[in-house]
Coordinates of all heavy atoms in Angstrom, one line a residue:
M1 N 94.8 34.1 15.4 CA 94.3 35.5 15.3 C 93.6 35.9 16.6 O 93.6 37.0 17.1 CB 93.4 35.7 14.1 CG 93.9 36.3 12.9 SD 95.3 37.4 13.2 CE 94.5 38.9 13.7
K2 N 92.8 34.9 17.2 CA 92.0 35.1 18.4 C 93.0 35.5 19.5 O 92.8 36.4 20.3 CB 91.3 33.8 18.8 CG 90.2 34.1 19.7 CD 89.4 32.7 19.9 CE 88.7 32.7 21.2 NZ 89.6 32.4 22.3
L3 N 94.2 34.8 19.6 CA 95.1 35.0 20.7 C 95.8 36.4 20.4 O 96.1 37.1 21.4 CB 96.2 33.9 20.6 CG 95.7 32.7 21.4 CD1 96.7 31.5 21.0 CD2 95.7 32.9 22.8
A4 N 96.0 36.7 19.1 CA 96.6 38.0 18.9 C 95.7 39.2 19.4 O 96.2 40.1 20.0 CB 96.9 38.2 17.4
A5 N 94.4 38.9 19.1 CA 93.5 39.9 19.5 C 93.4 40.0 21.1 O 93.3 41.1 21.7 CB 92.0 39.6 19.1
E6 N 93.6 38.9 21.7 CA 93.6 38.8 23.2 C 94.8 39.6 23.7 O 94.7 40.3 24.7 CB 93.7 37.3 23.6 CG 93.0 36.9 24.9 CD 93.0 35.5 25.1 OE1 92.2 34.8 24.4 OE2 93.8 35.0 25.8
L7 N 95.9 39.4 23.0 CA 97.2 40.1 23.5 C 97.0 41.6 23.3 O 97.4 42.4 24.1 CB 98.4 39.6 22.7 CG 99.1 38.3 23.3 CD1 100.2 37.9 22.3 CD2 99.6 38.5 24.6
V8 N 96.4 41.9 22.2 CA 96.2 43.4 21.9 C 95.3 44.0 23.0 O 95.5 45.0 23.5 CB 95.5 43.6 20.5 CG1 95.1 45.0 20.4 CG2 96.5 43.3 19.4
G9 N 94.3 43.2 23.5 CA 93.4 43.6 24.6 C 94.2 43.8 25.8 O 93.8 44.5 26.7
K10 N 95.4 43.1 25.9 CA 96.2 43.2 27.2 C 97.2 44.3 27.0 O 98.2 44.4 27.8 CB 96.8 41.9 27.5 CG 95.8 40.9 28.1 CD 96.4 39.6 28.3 CE 95.4 38.7 29.0 NZ 95.7 37.2 28.9
G11 N 97.2 45.0 25.9 CA 98.2 46.1 25.7 C 99.2 45.9 24.6 O 100.1 46.8 24.4
A12 N 99.1 44.8 23.9 CA 100.1 44.6 22.8 C 99.7 45.4 21.6 O 98.5 45.8 21.4 CB 100.1 43.1 22.4
T13 N 100.7 45.8 20.8 CA 100.4 46.5 19.5 C 100.7 45.7 18.3 O 101.7 45.0 18.3 CB 101.2 47.8 19.5 OG1 102.5 47.6 19.8 CG2 100.6 48.8 20.5
M14 N 99.9 45.7 17.3 CA 100.2 45.0 16.1 C 101.2 45.9 15.2 O 101.1 47.1 15.2 CB 98.9 44.9 15.3 CG 97.9 44.0 15.9 SD 97.3 42.7 14.7 CE 96.1 41.9 15.7
L15 N 102.1 45.1 14.7 CA 103.2 45.8 13.9 C 102.8 45.9 12.5 O 102.1 44.9 11.9 CB 104.5 45.2 14.1 CG 105.0 45.1 15.5 CD1 106.4 44.5 15.6 CD2 105.0 46.5 16.2
A16 N 103.2 46.9 11.7 CA 102.8 47.0 10.4 C 103.6 46.1 9.5 O 103.1 45.5 8.6 CB 103.2 48.5 9.9
E17 N 104.9 45.8 9.8 CA 105.7 45.0 9.0 C 105.5 43.5 9.4 O 105.5 43.1 10.6 CB 107.1 45.3 9.0 CG 107.9 45.2 10.4 CD 107.7 46.5 11.2 OE1 106.8 47.2 11.1 OE2 108.7 46.7 12.0
P18 N 105.3 42.6 8.4 CA 105.1 41.2 8.7 C 106.5 40.5 9.1 O 107.5 41.0 9.0 CB 104.7 40.6 7.3 CG 105.2 41.6 6.3 CD 105.3 42.9 7.0
C19 N 106.3 39.3 9.7 CA 107.4 38.5 10.1 C 108.4 38.2 8.9 O 107.9 37.7 7.9 CB 106.9 37.2 10.7 SG 108.3 36.0 11.1
P20 N 109.7 38.4 9.1 CA 110.6 38.2 8.0 C 110.7 36.7 7.6 O 111.1 36.4 6.5 CB 111.9 38.7 8.5 CG 111.8 38.9 9.9 CD 110.3 39.0 10.2
K21 N 110.4 35.8 8.6 CA 110.5 34.4 8.3 C 109.3 33.9 7.5 O 109.5 33.1 6.5 CB 110.6 33.6 9.6 CG 112.0 33.8 10.2 CD 112.0 32.8 11.5 CE 113.1 33.3 12.5 NZ 112.8 32.8 13.8
D22 N 108.1 34.2 8.0 CA 107.0 33.5 7.4 C 105.8 34.5 7.0 O 104.7 34.0 6.6 CB 106.4 32.5 8.3 CG 106.3 32.9 9.7 OD1 106.0 34.2 9.9 OD2 106.4 32.2 10.7
G23 N 106.1 35.8 7.1 CA 105.1 36.8 6.7 C 103.9 36.8 7.6 O 102.9 37.5 7.3
G24 N 104.1 36.3 8.8 CA 103.0 36.4 9.8 C 102.8 37.8 10.4 O 103.8 38.5 10.4
I25 N 101.7 38.0 11.0 CA 101.4 39.3 11.6 C 102.2 39.3 12.9 O 102.3 38.3 13.6 CB 99.9 39.5 11.9 CG1 99.2 39.6 10.6 CG2 99.7 40.7 12.8 CD1 97.7 39.5 10.8
Q26 N 102.9 40.4 13.2 CA 103.7 40.5 14.4 C 103.0 41.4 15.4 O 102.4 42.4 15.0 CB 105.1 41.0 14.1 CG 105.9 40.1 13.2 CD 107.3 40.5 13.0 OE1 108.2 39.9 13.5 NE2 107.5 41.7 12.3
V27 N 103.2 41.1 16.7 CA 102.7 42.0 17.7 C 103.8 42.3 18.7 O 104.7 41.5 18.9 CB 101.5 41.4 18.6 CG1 100.3 41.2 17.7 CG2 101.9 40.0 19.1
R28 N 103.8 43.5 19.2 CA 104.8 43.9 20.2 C 104.2 43.9 21.6 O 103.1 44.5 21.8 CB 105.4 45.2 19.9 CG 106.6 45.6 20.9 CD 106.9 47.1 20.8 NE 107.2 47.5 19.4 CZ 108.5 47.4 18.9 NH1 109.4 46.9 19.6 NH2 108.7 47.8 17.7
Y29 N 104.8 43.1 22.5 CA 104.2 43.1 23.8 C 105.3 43.2 24.9 O 106.2 42.4 24.9 CB 103.4 41.8 24.0 CG 102.6 41.8 25.4 CD1 101.5 42.6 25.6 CD2 103.1 41.1 26.4 CE1 100.9 42.6 26.8 CE2 102.5 41.1 27.6 CZ 101.3 41.9 27.8 OH 100.7 41.9 29.0
R30 N 105.1 44.2 25.8 CA 106.1 44.4 26.8 C 107.6 44.5 26.2 O 108.5 43.9 26.8 CB 106.0 43.4 27.9 CG 104.7 43.5 28.7 CD 104.7 42.7 29.9 NE 103.4 42.9 30.7 CZ 103.1 42.2 31.7 NH1 103.8 41.3 32.2 NH2 102.0 42.5 32.3
G31 N 107.7 45.2 25.2 CA 109.0 45.4 24.6 C 109.5 44.3 23.7 O 110.7 44.3 23.2
K32 N 108.8 43.2 23.6 CA 109.2 42.1 22.8 C 108.3 41.9 21.6 O 107.1 42.1 21.7 CB 109.2 40.7 23.6 CG 110.5 40.5 24.4 CD 110.4 39.2 25.0 CE 111.8 38.8 25.6 NZ 111.8 37.5 26.2
V33 N 108.9 41.4 20.5 CA 108.0 41.2 19.3 C 107.8 39.8 19.1 O 108.6 38.9 19.1 CB 108.8 41.8 18.0 CG1 108.0 41.4 16.8 CG2 109.0 43.3 18.2
Y34 N 106.5 39.4 18.9 CA 106.1 38.0 18.7 C 105.4 37.9 17.4 O 104.7 38.8 16.9 CB 105.1 37.6 19.8 CG 105.7 37.7 21.2 CD1 105.4 38.8 22.0 CD2 106.6 36.7 21.7 CE1 105.9 38.9 23.3 CE2 107.1 36.9 23.0 CZ 106.8 37.9 23.8 OH 107.3 38.0 25.0
C35 N 105.6 36.7 16.7 CA 105.0 36.5 15.5 C 103.8 35.6 15.7 O 103.8 34.7 16.6 CB 106.0 35.7 14.6 SG 105.2 35.0 13.1
T36 N 102.6 36.0 15.1 CA 101.4 35.2 15.4 C 101.4 33.9 14.7 O 100.5 33.0 15.0 CB 100.2 36.0 14.9 OG1 100.4 36.3 13.5 CG2 100.0 37.3 15.7
I37 N 102.4 33.6 13.9 CA 102.5 32.2 13.2 C 103.5 31.3 14.0 O 103.1 30.2 14.4 CB 102.8 32.4 11.8 CG1 101.6 33.0 11.0 CG2 103.1 31.0 11.2 CD1 101.8 33.2 9.5
H38 N 104.7 31.8 14.1 CA 105.7 30.8 14.6 C 106.0 30.9 16.1 O 106.6 30.1 16.7 CB 107.0 30.9 13.8 CG 107.9 32.1 14.1 ND1 107.9 33.2 13.3 CD2 108.7 32.3 15.1 CE1 108.7 34.1 13.8 NE2 109.2 33.6 14.9
D39 N 105.5 32.0 16.8 CA 105.6 32.0 18.2 C 104.4 31.5 18.9 O 103.3 31.6 18.4 CB 105.9 33.5 18.7 CG 107.3 33.9 18.4 OD1 108.2 33.1 18.6 OD2 107.5 35.1 18.0
D40 N 104.7 30.8 20.0 CA 103.6 30.2 20.8 C 102.9 31.4 21.6 O 103.2 31.6 22.8 CB 104.2 29.2 21.7 CG 103.0 28.4 22.5 OD1 101.9 28.7 22.1 OD2 103.4 27.7 23.4
L41 N 101.9 31.9 21.1 CA 101.2 33.0 21.7 C 100.4 32.5 22.9 O 100.2 33.3 23.8 CB 100.3 33.8 20.7 CG 101.0 34.6 19.6 CD1 99.9 35.3 18.8 CD2 101.9 35.6 20.2
S42 N 99.9 31.3 22.8 CA 99.1 30.9 23.9 C 99.8 30.9 25.3 O 99.3 31.3 26.3 CB 98.6 29.4 23.7 OG 99.7 28.6 23.5
S43 N 101.2 30.5 25.3 CA 101.9 30.5 26.4 C 102.2 32.0 26.9 O 102.2 32.3 28.1 CB 103.2 29.8 26.3 OG 104.1 30.5 25.5
I44 N 102.3 32.9 26.0 CA 102.5 34.3 26.3 C 101.2 34.8 27.0 O 101.2 35.5 28.0 CB 102.9 35.1 25.1 CG1 104.2 34.6 24.5 CG2 103.0 36.6 25.5 CD1 104.4 35.1 23.1
A45 N 100.1 34.5 26.3 CA 98.7 35.0 26.8 C 98.5 34.4 28.2 O 98.0 35.1 29.0 CB 97.7 34.6 25.8
T46 N 98.9 33.2 28.4 CA 98.7 32.6 29.7 C 99.6 33.2 30.8 O 99.1 33.5 31.9 CB 98.9 31.0 29.7 OG1 98.6 30.5 28.5 CG2 98.1 30.3 30.7
S47 N 100.9 33.3 30.4 CA 101.8 33.9 31.4 C 101.5 35.3 31.8 O 101.7 35.6 32.9 CB 103.2 33.8 30.9 OG 103.4 34.7 29.8
V48 N 100.9 36.1 30.9 CA 100.6 37.4 31.3 C 99.2 37.5 32.0 O 98.8 38.5 32.5 CB 100.6 38.4 30.1 CG1 102.0 38.5 29.5 CG2 99.6 38.1 29.1
G49 N 98.5 36.3 32.0 CA 97.2 36.3 32.5 C 97.2 36.0 34.0 O 96.1 36.0 34.6
V50 N 98.3 35.9 34.7 CA 98.4 35.7 36.1 C 97.9 37.0 36.8 O 98.4 38.0 36.6 CB 99.9 35.4 36.5 CG1 99.9 35.3 38.1 CG2 100.3 34.0 36.0
S51 N 96.9 36.8 37.6 CA 96.3 38.0 38.2 C 96.8 38.1 39.6 O 97.2 37.1 40.3 CB 94.8 38.0 38.1 OG 94.3 37.0 39.0
Y52 N 96.6 39.3 40.2 CA 97.0 39.6 41.6 C 96.2 38.6 42.5 O 96.8 38.1 43.4 CB 96.7 41.0 41.8 CG 97.0 41.5 43.2 CD1 98.3 41.7 43.6 CD2 95.9 41.7 44.1 CE1 98.6 42.1 44.9 CE2 96.2 42.1 45.4 CZ 97.6 42.3 45.8 OH 97.8 42.7 47.1
D53 N 94.9 38.5 42.2 CA 94.0 37.7 43.1 C 94.5 36.2 43.1 O 94.5 35.6 44.1 CB 92.6 37.7 42.5 CG 91.9 39.1 42.9 OD1 92.5 39.8 43.7 OD2 90.9 39.3 42.3
T54 N 94.9 35.7 41.9 CA 95.4 34.3 41.8 C 96.6 34.1 42.7 O 96.8 33.1 43.4 CB 95.7 34.0 40.3 OG1 94.7 34.4 39.5 CG2 96.0 32.5 40.2
V55 N 97.6 35.1 42.6 CA 98.8 35.0 43.4 C 98.5 35.1 44.8 O 99.1 34.3 45.7 CB 99.8 36.1 43.0 CG1 101.1 36.1 43.8 CG2 100.2 35.9 41.5
V56 N 97.6 36.0 45.2 CA 97.3 36.1 46.7 C 96.6 34.8 47.2 O 97.0 34.3 48.3 CB 96.3 37.3 46.8 CG1 95.7 37.3 48.2 CG2 97.1 38.6 46.7
A57 N 95.8 34.2 46.4 CA 95.1 33.0 46.8 C 96.1 31.9 46.9 O 96.1 31.1 47.9 CB 94.0 32.6 45.8
Q58 N 97.1 31.8 46.0 CA 98.1 30.8 46.1 C 99.0 31.0 47.3 O 99.3 30.1 47.9 CB 99.0 31.0 44.8 CG 100.3 30.2 44.7 CD 100.1 28.8 44.1 OE1 98.9 28.5 43.7 NE2 101.1 28.0 44.0
M59 N 99.3 32.3 47.5 CA 100.2 32.6 48.7 C 99.5 32.2 50.0 O 100.1 31.6 50.9 CB 100.4 34.1 48.8 CG 101.6 34.6 48.2 SD 101.9 36.3 48.4 CE 102.7 36.4 50.0
R60 N 98.2 32.5 50.1 CA 97.5 32.1 51.3 C 97.5 30.6 51.5 O 97.7 30.1 52.6 CB 96.0 32.6 51.2 CG 95.2 32.4 52.4 CD 93.8 32.9 52.3 NE 93.7 34.3 52.4 CZ 93.3 35.2 51.5 NH1 93.0 34.7 50.3 NH2 93.3 36.5 51.7
E61 N 97.3 29.9 50.4 CA 97.3 28.4 50.5 C 98.6 27.9 51.0 O 98.7 27.0 51.9 CB 97.0 27.9 49.1 CG 96.1 26.7 49.1 CD 95.6 26.4 47.7 OE1 94.6 27.0 47.3 OE2 96.2 25.6 47.0
V62 N 99.7 28.4 50.3 CA 101.1 27.9 50.6 C 101.5 28.3 52.0 O 101.9 27.4 52.8 CB 102.1 28.5 49.6 CG1 103.5 28.2 50.1 CG2 101.9 27.9 48.2
L63 N 101.2 29.5 52.5 CA 101.6 30.0 53.8 C 100.8 29.2 54.9 O 101.4 28.8 55.9 CB 101.3 31.5 53.9 CG 102.3 32.4 53.2 CD1 101.7 33.9 53.2 CD2 103.6 32.3 53.8
L64 N 99.5 29.0 54.6 CA 98.7 28.2 55.6 C 99.2 26.8 55.8 O 99.4 26.3 56.9 CB 97.2 28.2 55.2 CG 96.4 29.3 55.6 CD1 95.0 29.3 55.0 CD2 96.3 29.4 57.1
A65 N 99.6 26.2 54.7 CA 100.1 24.9 54.7 C 101.5 24.8 55.5 O 101.7 23.9 56.3 CB 100.3 24.3 53.3
R66 N 102.3 25.8 55.2 CA 103.7 25.8 55.9 C 103.5 26.2 57.3 O 104.2 25.6 58.1 CB 104.5 26.9 55.2 CG 105.0 26.5 53.8 CD 106.0 25.4 53.9 NE 106.5 25.0 52.6 CZ 106.6 23.7 52.2 NH1 106.3 22.8 53.0 NH2 107.0 23.4 51.0
L67 N 102.6 27.1 57.6 CA 102.3 27.4 59.0 C 101.9 26.2 59.8 O 102.4 25.9 60.9 CB 101.3 28.6 59.1 CG 101.0 29.1 60.5 CD1 102.2 29.7 61.1 CD2 99.9 30.3 60.3
N68 N 101.0 25.5 59.2 CA 100.5 24.3 59.8 C 101.6 23.2 60.1 O 101.7 22.7 61.2 CB 99.4 23.6 58.9 CG 98.7 22.5 59.5 OD1 98.4 22.5 60.7 ND2 98.5 21.4 58.8
E69 N 102.5 23.1 59.1 CA 103.6 22.2 59.2 C 104.6 22.6 60.3 O 105.0 21.8 61.1 CB 104.4 22.1 57.9 CG 103.8 21.2 56.8 CD 104.6 21.4 55.5 OE1 105.7 21.8 55.5 OE2 103.9 21.1 54.5
T70 N 104.8 23.9 60.4 CA 105.7 24.5 61.4 C 105.2 24.3 62.8 O 105.9 23.9 63.7 CB 106.0 26.0 61.1 OG1 106.3 26.1 59.7 CG2 107.1 26.6 61.9
I71 N 103.9 24.6 62.9 CA 103.2 24.5 64.3 C 103.3 23.0 64.7 O 103.5 22.7 65.9 CB 101.8 25.0 64.2 CG1 101.9 26.6 63.9 CG2 101.1 24.8 65.5 CD1 102.6 27.4 64.9
T72 N 103.0 22.1 63.8 CA 103.0 20.7 64.1 C 104.4 20.2 64.5 O 104.6 19.6 65.5 CB 102.5 19.9 62.8 OG1 101.3 20.3 62.4 CG2 102.4 18.4 63.1
A73 N 105.4 20.7 63.8 CA 106.8 20.4 64.2 C 107.2 21.0 65.5 O 107.8 20.3 66.3 CB 107.7 21.0 63.1
L74 N 106.6 22.2 65.8 CA 106.9 22.8 67.1 C 106.3 22.0 68.2 O 106.9 22.0 69.3 CB 106.3 24.3 67.1 CG 106.5 25.2 68.3 CD1 108.0 25.4 68.5 CD2 105.7 26.5 68.2
G75 N 105.2 21.4 68.0 CA 104.5 20.6 69.0 C 105.2 19.5 69.5 O 105.1 19.0 70.6
V76 N 106.2 18.9 68.6 CA 106.9 17.7 69.0 C 108.4 18.0 69.2 O 109.1 17.1 69.6 CB 106.7 16.6 68.0 CG1 105.3 16.2 67.9 CG2 107.1 17.1 66.5
E77 N 108.8 19.2 68.9 CA 110.2 19.6 69.0 C 110.7 19.7 70.5 O 110.0 20.5 71.3 CB 110.5 20.9 68.3 CG 112.0 21.2 68.2 CD 112.9 20.2 67.7 OE1 112.7 19.8 66.5 OE2 113.7 19.7 68.5
K78 N 111.8 19.0 70.9 CA 112.2 19.1 72.3 C 113.4 20.1 72.5 O 113.5 20.7 73.5 CB 112.7 17.7 72.8 CG 111.6 16.7 72.8 CD 110.8 16.7 74.1 CE 109.9 15.6 74.3 NZ 108.6 15.8 73.6
D79 N 114.1 20.3 71.4 CA 115.3 21.1 71.4 C 114.9 22.7 71.4 O 114.1 23.1 70.6 CB 116.1 20.9 70.1 CG 117.5 21.6 70.1 OD1 117.4 22.8 69.9 OD2 118.5 21.0 70.3
L80 N 115.4 23.4 72.4 CA 114.9 24.8 72.6 C 115.4 25.7 71.4 O 114.6 26.5 71.0 CB 115.4 25.3 73.9 CG 114.8 24.8 75.1 CD1 115.4 25.4 76.4 CD2 113.3 25.0 75.2
D81 N 116.6 25.4 70.9 CA 117.1 26.3 69.8 C 116.2 26.1 68.6 O 115.9 27.0 67.9 CB 118.6 25.9 69.5 CG 119.5 26.5 70.5 OD1 119.1 27.5 71.2 OD2 120.6 26.0 70.6
K82 N 115.9 24.8 68.3 CA 115.1 24.5 67.2 C 113.7 25.1 67.4 O 113.0 25.6 66.4 CB 115.0 23.0 66.9 CG 116.3 22.5 66.3 CD 116.2 21.0 66.0 CE 117.5 20.5 65.5 NZ 117.7 19.0 65.6
Q83 N 113.1 25.0 68.6 CA 111.8 25.6 68.9 C 111.9 27.1 68.5 O 110.9 27.7 68.0 CB 111.5 25.5 70.4 CG 111.0 24.1 70.7 CD 110.6 24.0 72.2 OE1 110.2 25.0 72.8 NE2 110.8 22.9 72.8
E84 N 113.0 27.8 68.9 CA 113.1 29.2 68.7 C 113.0 29.5 67.2 O 112.3 30.4 66.7 CB 114.4 29.7 69.3 CG 114.4 31.2 69.3 CD 115.7 31.8 70.0 OE1 116.6 31.0 70.2 OE2 115.6 32.9 70.4
G85 N 113.7 28.6 66.4 CA 113.7 28.8 65.0 C 112.3 28.6 64.4 O 111.9 29.3 63.5
L86 N 111.6 27.6 64.9 CA 110.3 27.3 64.4 C 109.3 28.4 64.7 O 108.4 28.8 63.9 CB 109.8 25.9 65.0 CG 110.5 24.7 64.5 CD1 110.1 23.5 65.3 CD2 110.1 24.5 63.0
V87 N 109.5 29.0 66.0 CA 108.5 30.0 66.4 C 108.8 31.2 65.5 O 107.8 31.9 65.1 CB 108.8 30.4 67.9 CG1 108.1 31.7 68.3 CG2 108.3 29.3 68.8
S88 N 110.0 31.6 65.3 CA 110.2 32.8 64.4 C 109.8 32.6 63.0 O 109.3 33.5 62.4 CB 111.7 33.2 64.5 OG 112.4 32.7 63.5
L89 N 109.9 31.3 62.5 CA 109.4 31.0 61.2 C 107.9 31.1 61.1 O 107.3 31.7 60.2 CB 109.8 29.6 60.8 CG 109.7 29.1 59.4 CD1 110.5 30.0 58.5 CD2 110.2 27.7 59.3
A90 N 107.2 30.6 62.2 CA 105.7 30.6 62.2 C 105.3 32.1 62.3 O 104.3 32.4 61.6 CB 105.3 29.8 63.5
A91 N 106.0 32.9 63.1 CA 105.7 34.3 63.2 C 105.7 35.0 61.8 O 104.9 35.8 61.5 CB 106.6 35.0 64.2
K92 N 106.8 34.7 61.1 CA 106.8 35.3 59.8 C 105.8 34.9 58.8 O 105.2 35.6 58.1 CB 108.2 34.9 59.1 CG 109.3 35.7 59.7 CD 110.7 35.2 59.1 CE 111.9 35.9 59.9 NZ 113.1 35.1 59.7
Y93 N 105.4 33.5 58.8 CA 104.4 33.1 58.0 C 103.1 33.8 58.4 O 102.3 34.2 57.6 CB 104.1 31.6 58.2 CG 105.2 30.7 57.6 CD1 105.5 29.5 58.1 CD2 105.8 31.1 56.4 CE1 106.5 28.7 57.5 CE2 106.8 30.3 55.8 CZ 107.1 29.1 56.4 OH 108.1 28.3 55.8
F94 N 102.9 33.9 59.7 CA 101.6 34.5 60.3 C 101.5 36.0 59.9 O 100.5 36.5 59.4 CB 101.6 34.3 61.8 CG 100.3 34.6 62.4 CD1 99.2 33.7 62.2 CD2 100.0 35.8 63.1 CE1 98.0 34.0 62.7 CE2 98.8 36.1 63.6 CZ 97.7 35.1 63.5
E95 N 102.7 36.6 60.0 CA 102.7 38.0 59.7 C 102.4 38.3 58.2 O 101.6 39.2 57.8 CB 104.1 38.6 59.9 CG 104.2 40.1 60.0 CD 105.7 40.5 60.2 OE1 106.5 39.7 60.8 OE2 106.0 41.6 59.8
L96 N 102.9 37.4 57.3 CA 102.6 37.5 55.9 C 101.1 37.2 55.6 O 100.5 38.0 54.8 CB 103.5 36.5 55.1 CG 104.7 37.0 54.4 CD1 105.5 35.9 53.8 CD2 104.3 38.1 53.3
L97 N 100.6 36.3 56.3 CA 99.2 35.9 56.1 C 98.3 37.1 56.5 O 97.3 37.4 55.8 CB 98.8 34.7 56.9 CG 99.0 33.3 56.3 CD1 99.0 32.2 57.3 CD2 98.0 33.1 55.2
E98 N 98.7 37.8 57.6 CA 97.9 38.9 58.1 C 97.9 40.1 57.0 O 97.0 40.8 57.0 CB 98.5 39.4 59.4 CG 98.4 38.4 60.5 CD 97.3 38.8 61.5 OE1 97.7 39.5 62.4 OE2 96.2 38.2 61.4
K99 N 99.0 40.1 56.3 CA 99.2 41.2 55.3 C 98.4 41.0 54.1 O 98.2 41.9 53.3 CB 100.7 41.4 55.0 CG 101.4 42.2 56.1 CD 102.9 42.4 55.7 CE 103.6 43.0 56.8 NZ 105.1 42.9 56.7
L100 N 98.1 39.7 53.8 CA 97.3 39.5 52.6 C 95.9 40.1 52.7 O 95.2 40.1 53.7 CB 97.1 38.0 52.4 CG 98.4 37.1 52.1 CD1 98.0 35.7 52.0 CD2 99.1 37.7 50.9
P101 N 95.5 40.7 51.5 CA 94.2 41.3 51.5 C 93.0 40.3 51.8 O 93.2 39.2 51.3 CB 94.1 42.0 50.1 CG 95.1 41.2 49.3 CD 96.2 40.8 50.3
E102 N 92.0 40.8 52.4 CA 90.8 39.9 52.6 C 90.1 39.6 51.2 O 90.2 40.5 50.4 CB 89.8 40.6 53.5 CG 90.3 40.8 54.9 CD 90.5 39.5 55.7 OE1 89.7 38.5 55.5 OE2 91.5 39.3 56.4
K103 N 89.5 38.5 51.2 CA 88.8 38.2 49.8 C 87.6 39.1 49.8 O 86.9 39.3 50.7 CB 88.4 36.7 49.9 CG 89.5 35.9 49.3 CD 89.0 34.8 48.4 CE 90.0 34.2 47.5 NZ 89.6 32.9 46.9
Ligands
ZN1 ZN1 107.0 34.2 12.0

């Protein structure tokens, strides 16, 4: 019930008719109907709980790690064609990082 209330707080609506299988309360969320008894509401509540800030923080972390790897590889790469590829890759990572909002 706590999770159902949580989902309702996120915009889900409780349905008047009970689940045909077990009589549980049903909620509709983003066009899908979930039963509060037999459906795993916790995973739904978690999956919709991903926030913009979390994704941005994750992106920053991944991009910085990849940028670091690319620059390290560039430092030891002798082949000019491969250097060019690494430079353009690093530029893309850097550009994306610059586009991320400040904390
Ligand atoms: Zn059910």
